Amino acid sequence: MIISIYGKVPTNPQDKDLIVLLLEDLSAQGIDVLVWKPFYDAIKDLITHIKGIETFTKKSEIDKHSKILFSLGGDGTMLDTLDYVIGTDIAVIGINLGHL
């Protein structure tokens, strides 16, 4: 199974800890993860020990592989996430890291 993750660059240390835990748990369950490239670039130093992580930049890169996309952020992030799933059968799960 492959799960995709889209998010904004995390600034809160607690958010970073949560993201690392999520990725560790997915990896421990044998789930491969596609992470939005700018998000990955912001957290890559924290997740070097986690295997099975690839990146995506276009909708077509997740459309063929993923059935679930986690949206990590607030309302704006969720709205941005929808651009990647419109017209697909990909389910979106929002994890609120917003601070408004």
Side-chain angles (χ1 to χ4, degrees), residues 33-94:
V33 180
L34 286 172
V35 179
W36 188 58
K37 179 77 166 110
F39 186 75
Y40 173 82
D41 289 341
I43 63 168
K44 66 183 173 188
D45 293 339
L46 303 172
I47 58 172
T48 56
H49 63 287
I50 303 172
K51 305 295 182 218
I53 297 177
E54 301 290 332
T55 62
F56 73 93
T57 57
K58 298 181 238 171
K59 176 182 176 179
S60 61
E61 295 171 322
I62 63 169
D63 189 20
K64 297 174 186 171
H65 305 288
S66 189
K67 296 295 179 200
I68 299 171
L69 189 147
F70 284 119
S71 177
L72 306 179
D75 295 342
T77 304
M78 178 61 83
L79 291 172
D80 291 343
T81 300
L82 297 178
D83 285 339
Y84 289 92
V85 297
I86 271 188
T88 72
D89 291 332
I90 299 171
V92 176
I93 297 173

Side-chain angles (χ1 to χ4, degrees), residues 3-37:
I3 290 179
S4 298
I5 295 179
Y6 180 89
K8 298 291 172 101
V9 175
T11 55
N12 183 331
Q14 291 175 321
D15 293 348
K16 291 178 183 179
D17 292 343
L18 176 84
I19 293 162
V20 171
L21 283 173
L22 174 64
L23 292 170
E24 287 173 342
D25 284 348
L26 292 172
S27 177
Q29 294 180 45
I31 297 172
D32 291 326
V33 180
L34 286 172
V35 179
W36 188 58
K37 179 77 166 110

